[in-house]
Structure formats: structure tokens, C-alpha cells
Amino acid sequence: MTVSVVLFTSDLRLHDHPPLRAALLSADTVVPLFVRDDGIAAAGFDAPNRRAFLADCLADLDTGLRDRGGRLVVRSGDVVDQVGKVAAETGARDVHIAAGVSGYAQRREVRLRDALESEGRLLHVHDAVITALAPGSVTPADSDHFAVFTPYFRRWSQELLRDPLGAPRAVRVPDGIRSDPVPSRAEVSGTSAALAGGGETEGRRRLAAWKRSNLAHYEDRHDDLAADATSRLSPHLHFGTLSPAEVVHRARKDGGPGAEAFVRQICWRDFHHQVLAARPAASRADYRTRHDRWRSGRQAEKETAAWKEGRTGYPMVDAAMRQLRHEGWMHNRGRLLVASFLTKTLYVDWRVGARHFLDLLVDGDVANNQLNWQWAAGTGTDTRPNRVLNPVVQGKRFDPDGTYVRRWVPELEGIPGKAVHEPWKRSDPERACSGYPEPLIDLADGLARFRRARGRD
Ligand code: FAD
């Protein structure tokens, strides 16, 4: 009886899962293993919102495996030790895993390979499981990765993605393997009040429903904050309950004007992943330094606290920051704006904002979060690194009648239409009773300081 281990990481699904398919084809029985890895918590990535979503994903994966005659095996501790133990207990020769992109995932792969090979076992690393296209599979002539999105998108669009694999019909797991209980969302405290539910079943349901109702209008409506018409698939793509290759196939199959605009966003995800795979240090260090000397000290801390609480006095910034706290999710247009506000208008280090996002975002992802923050701060891949978004202009453009702001900032409920984006223009008595703060900073002052700092005045 041959045994293989499949180590699930950011690929918590049964559909379109190349490592599971390979293991099932090459062994009589398979151990589907998830390790609650101490290293993830030590690296500071173990936030309540993601822990709760992860618990849903594991419970659903276990159910899916049980429906097929198997079950999920859960262990806790150091991932390399635990994989070694499970392989030794079951006599498995082969271990299958999806390739990761972060520095942590790359080190994990090396440690696993060394440990397994020293015991005479083999590690099989499968590409294009957590991304649609494997990082490094398309490169420019003179580099190991693309540093600019548009040429990457052009090349990426010409590549054929593999056809998505179906879910297996049966999974035979060897008898008698010990498993910790599958974690439950109920064990997690401190989550956002309106946190989305996780799991492959929920991800597939959401994809199908959103495709029916919104995909065709994606190009026109994806920046309309009040419409909330984007897919909200980001946590499913982060935890791998949906395969990015399958999402692209299914979007393209339906065609329509929205499909390519949506697929372009999935390509942004691959783009950031291929940057991080080639430059893992970009999770902490500037990808392209602008020699910033970010503000620090009491005043900067006070302003950062107001930003986190959604009390900057700029309604669009505050609405988005409150949505983040309440849902563990924020619309992309909001993310761009609040990141520009923190890093450029307040001139606070992008790492401070990225950390706060990682503490709350259910889709918090090293590649997408750190590199989008760098993009917004102008230290990343943006070809216009010194652009500054104005929250009033952005508000009037992407929330033209103020519906999004009034949804999240009840103090401003009484101000009609787009006037809500400039509450300081109301008369004094009206402002006094709303309890809404005065603007934290004059936008022109923030802009002038940023331009000076970047040597642009
Ligand atoms: P849709 O518009 O429906 O797009 C579909 C999918 O494409 C998304 O689910 C996502 O996987 C991908 N995508 C869309 N936009 C981007 C983008 N700019 N970069 C990379 N992938 C993208 N996304 C994360 O998944 N995790 C993060 O931690 C994260 N942090 C961000 C931080 C900042 C400062 C900014 C500006 C953006 C960040 N994003 C992050 C990207 C983007 O905002 C979210 O992916 C998107 O808002 C999720 O909503 P959606 O699923 O409805 O997106």
C-alpha cells in the first residue's frame, strides 16, 4: 500500500488542485494534511479575521473530503516537524505541496525538501496552484520578473492557462492517523462584526452568483463605491478556496465586456506574486527607494491613530477605514485612497499602514498587501510614484451622491448629495451637532510637504 501526503497551505480546495490530483494518481492512499504552523503566528500573520475565515475553510475541506470517503488531518507545531512525523507514521514516500511566493514559503520549501530527502522521501512542488500563471514563467528579456504591470499583462494574456481539474470522486486516507480537532470559527474572538464566511462551498457559490449578477457590468461599476459591485472573492483567492486559473476560465467562458476587465484584476494578483517571488524582501523593504524619511513621533502617531479609527475629518477616508474595521474588507478604490492619504498626505511609513491592514483584512496577503501599499506609497511598481489622491475629488468621482459615505459615517447622515464630501462647508451650528471631526490636516499643506520630501517642489 503506497501513501502520499498532500500538505495544504494557501490552496484549501478540492477543485482544480494539482498536488492532490498527482498524489491520488501515484499512491493508493493519501493523507490530506493541514498544519497549524507556529511560524505563521510568530511572523505576525495570525489575525483573528483570517483565523476565523481559515477555520471555515478547514471545516469545509474536511466535509468535502469526508463526502469522498476521506478526512482532513490537522496537526499543530512546526510545519517541517509535523510533515516529517506524518510521513514517518504512515511510511509515505512522497509529499506534495503548492509552490508559494513569500520568503517564508520559499524557506519552508527548502527546509521541507532537506528534511524529507534526509529521510529518503521526495518533495513535489506544484506550480500555478496559488496563482493562475507560475511566477517566473513569463519574464522580460533582461530580468527575472516584470516590474511594470502593462507589459506583464500583455505577456500573461498570451499564455494558455491549464484547463481546470475537477474535484476527485474518492479520497482514501490510511486508517488510524491521529488528527487534532478541525478548528472552529466559534473559538476565535475579536473578529469584525460583519466578517464574510469562508470555505470552498461558499467561494464557489459566491463566484457563480456574482458572475450571474455583476460580471457583465464589472468594467462600468467596479469603481462605484456605493454599488459594491466587485466580486469580493479576494479572501477566497487568498486562502485558495477558489483556483485563480479556474476563476479566469469561468469568467472568460461567459465572455462579455466585463470579463476581460475582471481577468485583468486577477492578473494584477499574479503580477504582485511574481514580484514578491523574485524579490521576497519587498515585503519589508522599499522595492524602489525614494529615500523617504517618514514622519514619526507623537504628532504622527496621533494622526495615524485618527486614520485607523476613521476620524480624520475626510469623509471618504473615514468611511473606508470604518468599513475595514466592520467587515475586515475594503473596496479597492477605498484602499488606494486611504493608503495615499497615510503615506503621502500624512507622510507616514507605508509599513505602518500595511501592518494595520494585515491586522484586519480577511484577504490580508503578503504579496497583494505589501506590494499594493508600496504601489500607493510610490516606492513600488507605480510608474507615477508621486501622484497624490485627493479625498474630496475622489469622493465626488467615485461616490457622486455620497451614499457610500453616509452608509459608514452616520454623523454625516443629514448632509445630502455630494456635499457630504466637504462637511466643513456647512454652517457652524450644523457642524457642531454632528460630532464629526474637523479635517486633521489641510490637504494643500500635506501635498506641499510630500513634494518637498520627494524633491518635487
Ligand atoms: P475584484 O475587483 O472583484 O477583483 C477580483 C480579484 O482580483 C480580487 O479578488 C483580487 O484577488 C484581485 N485583485 C483586484 N485588484 C487587485 C490589486 N490591485 N492587486 C492585486 N490583486 C487584485 N488584495 C488582496 O487580496 N489582499 C490584500 O491584502 C490587499 N491589500 C491591498 C492593499 C492596498 C493598499 C491596496 C491599494 C490594494 C490591496 N489589495 C489587496 C488589492 C485589492 O484592493 C483587493 O484585491 C480587492 O479590493 C478585493 O476585492 P474584490 O475581490 O471584490 O476584487
Side-chain angles (χ1 to χ4, degrees):
M1 203 61 125
T2 52
V3 184
S4 283
V5 174
V6 177
L7 177 64
F8 286 87
T9 57
S10 304
D11 49 353
L12 303 175
R13 62 177 182 265
L14 295 175
H15 291 82
D16 196 34
H17 199 285
L20 180 60
R21 170 64 64 99
L24 288 167
L25 283 176
S26 61
D28 302 315
T29 57
V30 167
V31 184
L33 174 66
F34 183 81
V35 179
R36 297 174 81 175
D37 184 359
D38 291 344
I40 304 275
F45 287 111
D46 191 22
N49 283 343
R50 287 194 299 286
R51 211 170 339 125
F53 196 92
L54 170 67
D56 286 351
C57 298
L58 296 176
D60 192 56
L61 185 59
D62 184 47
T63 304
L65 287 163
R66 284 179 192 273
D67 289 346
R68 292 164 173 84
R71 71 193 166 96
L72 183 66
V73 172
V74 178
R75 294 284 175 97
S76 310
D78 174 71
V79 63
V80 176
D81 291 350
Q82 294 303 319
V83 172
K85 278 187 185 154
V86 170
E89 285 165 26
T90 55
R93 198 190 59 129
D94 299 289
V95 174
H96 296 264
I97 185 176
V101 301
S102 66
Y104 183 81
Q106 293 185 30
R107 285 192 299 280
R108 175 178 62 199
E109 212 171 283
V110 171
R111 285 181 58 220
L112 264 175
R113 177 170 286 114
D114 290 349
L116 290 168
E117 285 182 358
S118 71
E119 300 279 323
R121 305 182 210 283
L122 282 177
L123 180 70
H124 303 268
V125 179
H126 297 261
D127 282 333
V129 180
I130 70 162
T131 49
L133 209 63
S137 59
V138 293
T139 52
D142 54 352
S143 175
D144 57 355
H145 71 289
F146 278 90
V148 180
F149 176 73
T150 307
Y152 177 72
F153 180 53
R154 224 176 286 127
R155 282 293 300 282
W156 185 94
S157 303
Q158 289 161 2
E159 292 295 304
L160 270 185
L161 302 183
R162 74 182 145 71
D163 284 334
L165 306 167
R169 289 221 178 87
V171 179
R172 277 189 67 198
V173 177
D175 293 332
I177 309 169
R178 185 187 68 72
S179 172
D180 294 345
V182 175
S184 142
R185 166 184 276 235
E187 295 159 14
V188 186
S189 58
T191 55
S192 289
L195 184 67
E200 181 175 18
T201 309
E202 169 58 16
R204 297 184 78 77
R205 186 204 61 76
R206 177 173 281 279
L207 171 62
W210 180 80
K211 230 164 39 90
R212 264 195 313 276
S213 57
N214 277 307
L215 177 61
H217 315 290
Y218 183 81
E219 189 157 16
D220 304 330
R221 292 175 59 197
H222 72 278
D223 265 336
D224 178 344
L225 278 149
D228 196 4
T230 63
S231 70
R232 289 188 178 241
L233 292 176
S234 49
H236 292 283
L237 288 161
H238 170 68
F239 285 97
T241 48
L242 287 174
S243 142
E246 184 179 353
V247 171
V248 170
H249 272 281
R250 288 181 59 183
R252 280 186 175 150
K253 205 163 134 219
D254 294 332
E260 272 315 302
F262 175 70
V263 165
R264 187 181 162 91
Q265 296 310 111
I266 305 286
C267 180
W268 266 108
R269 182 175 179 277
D270 272 16
F271 172 72
H272 291 312
H273 280 70
Q274 58 96 45
V275 173
L276 190 68
R279 298 285 181 276
S283 67
R284 298 177 309 277
D286 287 351
Y287 178 75
R288 283 205 179 95
T289 183
R290 307 290 174 196
H291 306 288
D292 289 296
R293 296 175 61 188
W294 303 107
R295 286 171 67 226
S296 57
R298 291 267 294 275
Q299 185 58 23
E301 278 168 23
K302 226 173 100 191
E303 291 171 14
T304 303
W307 174 82
K308 287 183 183 174
E309 285 163 21
R311 294 192 59 76
T312 65
Y314 286 99
M316 277 290 285
V317 173
D318 294 343
M321 294 305 290
R322 294 181 193 192
Q323 178 179 27
L324 171 64
R325 196 170 285 281
H326 189 74
E327 297 188 352
W329 184 88
M330 192 197 288
H331 190 283
N332 182 56
R333 188 46 57 186
R335 297 188 203 206
L336 286 166
L337 175 61
V338 303
S340 169
F341 189 82
L342 186 76
T343 57
K344 291 174 170 168
T345 305
L346 299 182
Y347 200 50
V348 169
D349 194 340
W350 63 266
R351 279 158 281 245
V352 173
R355 177 71 260 167
H356 181 66
F357 267 36
L358 282 181
D359 288 343
L360 288 174
L361 277 178
V362 64
D363 62 25
D365 179 279
V366 185
N368 274 1
N369 190 57
Q370 309 307 88
L371 289 164
N372 269 299
W373 267 96
Q374 293 228 43
W375 196 90
T379 60
T381 56
D382 187 1
T383 48
R384 289 171 58 204
N386 296 318
R387 77 174 104 187
V388 178
L389 302 182
N390 178 315
V392 179
V393 175
Q394 292 277 307
K396 288 180 181 170
R397 184 157 170 215
F398 299 112
D399 183 31
D401 61 7
T403 306
Y404 175 74
V405 160
R406 280 187 297 276
R407 188 179 298 156
W408 291 106
V409 188
E411 302 97 294
L412 301 178
E413 235 158 33
I415 308 182
K418 63 174 185 248
V420 79
H421 295 298
E422 295 169 290
W424 51 86
K425 287 194 172 165
R426 311 291 286 181
S427 66
D428 282 346
E430 281 170 322
R431 271 155 60 186
C433 46
S434 80
Y436 188 66
E438 292 294 314
L440 193 60
I441 179 175
D442 185 299
L443 294 178
D445 292 346
L447 185 61
R449 175 175 57 198
F450 177 69
R451 287 199 170 141
R452 274 196 310 278
R454 288 276 169 100
R456 297 271 148 180
D457 53 3

